[in-house]
Amino acid sequence: MSTPASILIIGAGQAGGCAAAALRAEGYEGRITLAGVEPHRPYERPPLSKAVLHDASAEETLFLHKPEFHDGLEMDWLPGADVQSLDVGARLARTATGDALDFDRCLIATGGRARLLPGVPPDAPNVHYLRGLDDARRLRQRLQPDASVIVIGGGFLGLEFAGMARRMGVAVTVCEAGPQLLGRAAPPLVGAWLQARHEEAGVRVLCGAAVSSVTARADGVSVSLADGVRLDADFLLVSIGQLPNIELAQQAGLAIDNGIAVDVRCETSAPGIFAAGDCASHVSRFLQRRVRLESWQNAQEQAQVAARAMLDLPAAYDVVPWFWSDQLDMNIQMLGMPNPALTYLTRGQPTEPKFSVYGFDGHQLRYALVVNSGAEMTPLRKLMSAGASVDASLLADPARPVRETVKAALG
Ligand SMILES: Cc1cc2nc3c(=O)[nH]c(=O)nc-3n(C[C@H](O)[C@H](O)[C@H](O)COP(=O)(O)OP(=O)(O)OC[C@H]3O[C@@H](n4cnc5c(N)ncnc54)[C@H](O)[C@@H]3O)c2cc1C
């Protein structure tokens, strides 16, 4: 196909905004329509559970593009546009207000939404979720030194919030239903280490704490746990994961497999319709399975691949999954995903400010979580990307620079 005359991007978040910029950077001069439910221009979400919670001025750094750059993209930007139907054959989408959006090619970048706590109305008093800028603004108002909060969910997002709330003087209790913190993202030794760090900071952490009921009142919340314990606080943050926004793709008849299924070019089962970011699932060579990632890197890089693919340029999404988190005074970075079949080794000790955990499958590094050791990321990523064998004991030896061990392994 020749260059498309018009491209519709549905979802003006990180992937949507990044794709628009990438299209122009590739020299695309056709019409771009960027339709997004939110009233804001595209912004990045990671600061919402970090700096934005305590500092309103940090909002200025959120946005993907400065206003003049955004304007320079010369798009039809449609804030507040909720796209409700997509007719793949007719190349036509329709918003909730009935506006018709035609296109030659389309990118679905609808992201995800917070998973709601069953049995609790989402608008119940003193019950909060954290997904968008407006959620973070409401939470910032609540973070006063004499306040108390219960965080349901001990994943990255809940823990980032807990750490920040504690630093701001709030009394914080984290309830995690599973046996450890970060149960999906890290092996047990990391969960235990993180729990100790949060407890040292004054966060009360309860693992194996399944919530049986929540009472939300105008003056606070009460949480009853399955073991009969009752907790009271001023407010609740529910942070129990997210659901991908796939309903539009489902309605359009696209293949769904734990997200909108895309190929290596980020194209869906319908030719000319692409998907990227939190809503899309792809087959990862590194994880050896189909996976839907919820990370900054994935949104950014899939959007760039999709932009090139929409212009019929060579494009392939083939990256080692990377995620980072800032909690308390720690920067945590992760490559790959943990898996019980891996053999774990630590480099340094969890009692030290810097240490790393590596997961090996034989001589192949499949997972790495590094604490305050960001410089390790580039060599480790190269190693995993190349699939090269490495001597695990050398890599885990704190006396040997990671860079040198990797260099030797790559030959
Ligand atoms: C609080 C928070 C902290 C995070 N911290 C980190 C971190 O530290 N490190 C990291 O790697 N990742 C982090 N992430 C994850 C990262 O921000 C996401 O993976 C990324 O935002 C995904 O981008 P996206 O464009 O796919 O989705 P989004 O950024 O969610 O954008 C999707 C947009 O589509 C809009 N939309 C949905 N449906 C429609 C529709 N039908 N019509 C029009 N518009 C629609 C939505 O309103 C939204 O604006 C964090 C996420 C959150 C929420």
Side-chain angles (χ1 to χ4, degrees):
M1 180 180 165
S2 56
T3 307
S6 64
I7 292 178
L8 169 64
I9 301 174
I10 304 173
Q14 190 189 340
C18 175
L23 285 167
R24 291 295 187 229
E26 295 292 350
Y28 179 62
E29 293 180 348
R31 171 158 57 94
I32 300 176
T33 305
L34 178 64
V37 175
E38 292 187 80
H40 314 289
R41 36 179 229 284
Y43 62 91
E44 299 188 353
R45 288 170 207 272
L48 300 182
S49 49
K50 306 175 184 73
V52 169
L53 286 175
H54 76 95
D55 180 5
S57 71
E59 289 185 11
E60 285 162 28
T61 64
L62 277 183
F63 293 95
L64 234 55
H65 308 130
K66 293 203 179 336
E68 47 290 8
F69 183 89
H70 178 84
D71 293 345
L73 293 174
E74 297 190 342
M75 315 179 270
D76 294 339
W77 174 45
L78 307 177
D82 183 357
V83 179
Q84 297 232 312
S85 72
L86 178 62
D87 184 334
V88 167
R91 292 293 199 244
L92 199 69
R94 225 171 254 288
T95 67
T97 50
D99 293 328
L101 308 173
D102 64 310
F103 61 87
D104 290 324
R105 290 193 173 177
C106 171
L107 173 67
I108 305 175
T110 46
R113 58 185 181 274
R115 188 189 291 271
L116 302 182
L117 192 65
V120 180
D123 56 354
N126 295 308
V127 174
H128 292 255
Y129 292 84
L130 178 49
R131 176 73 200 174
L133 176 54
D134 300 329
D135 300 327
R137 285 177 174 163
R138 278 189 289 272
L139 281 162
R140 191 167 60 226
Q141 302 296 321
R142 305 298 311 256
L143 294 177
Q144 305 299 329
D146 55 351
S148 58
V149 61
I150 297 168
V151 179
I152 300 185
F156 278 118
L157 202 148
L159 291 173
E160 288 185 353
F161 173 86
M164 183 58 80
R166 188 65 211 118
R167 285 180 132 187
M168 293 169 73
V170 176
V172 185
T173 302
V174 174
C175 297
E176 164 56 48
Q180 68 161 91
L181 297 179
L182 292 188
R184 282 190 308 146
L189 80 98
V190 173
W193 158 78
L194 204 52
Q195 179 167 349
R197 293 304 316 271
H198 275 272
E199 285 172 348
E200 279 164 26
V203 176
R204 184 178 177 203
V205 179
L206 305 175
C207 287
V211 171
S212 60
S213 70
V214 169
T215 309
R217 303 173 307 272
D219 65 343
V221 289
S222 300
V223 172
S224 296
L225 303 179
D227 62 6
V229 170
R230 179 184 142 146
L231 307 166
D232 297 295
D234 295 331
F235 67 102
L236 190 68
L237 174 72
V238 181
S239 181
I240 54 173
Q242 72 161 23
L243 296 174
N245 291 326
I246 53 169
E247 290 74 10
L248 186 66
Q250 261 169 335
Q251 168 270 324
L254 307 183
I256 305 289
D257 185 355
N258 178 28
I260 306 168
V262 296
D263 65 13
V264 72
R265 299 171 66 248
C266 295
E267 194 162 21
T268 69
S269 56
I273 311 291
F274 296 75
D278 285 10
C279 65
S281 73
H282 73 285
V283 175
S284 164
R285 176 166 68 92
F286 303 98
L287 304 178
Q288 299 172 327
R289 61 186 165 92
R290 182 168 283 281
V291 65
R292 189 177 60 75
L293 299 171
E294 297 167 3
S295 72
W296 181 96
Q297 175 215 32
N298 183 64
Q300 190 81 0
E301 297 186 10
Q302 276 194 334
Q304 287 161 350
V305 167
R308 287 181 60 80
M310 285 193 285
L311 301 178
D312 288 333
L313 297 168
Y317 186 64
D318 182 37
V319 300
V320 181
W322 170 67
F323 186 87
W324 92 93
S325 172
D326 294 320
Q327 295 179 35
L328 303 170
D329 57 351
M330 301 171 296
N331 171 257
I332 302 172
Q333 300 196 43
M334 203 173 87
L335 290 170
M337 301 277 267
N339 143 11
L342 300 179
T343 304
Y344 291 100
L345 286 183
T346 55
R347 177 184 169 90
Q349 293 303 319
T351 46
E352 297 163 6
K354 289 183 178 196
F355 79 102
S356 307
V357 179
Y358 303 141
F360 291 93
D361 174 6
H363 293 292
Q364 308 264 306
L365 182 70
R366 297 273 187 220
Y367 171 82
L369 181 142
V370 313
V371 178
N372 296 330
S373 310
E376 286 184 17
M377 281 291 110
T378 302
L380 291 176
R381 189 185 284 121
K382 276 189 193 153
L383 181 70
M384 290 172 76
S385 195
S389 293
V390 68
D391 184 325
S393 60
L394 292 185
L395 199 63
D397 180 355
R400 288 172 188 269
V402 166
R403 201 174 357 98
E404 284 177 21
T405 307
V406 169
K407 201 170 162 195
L410 293 176

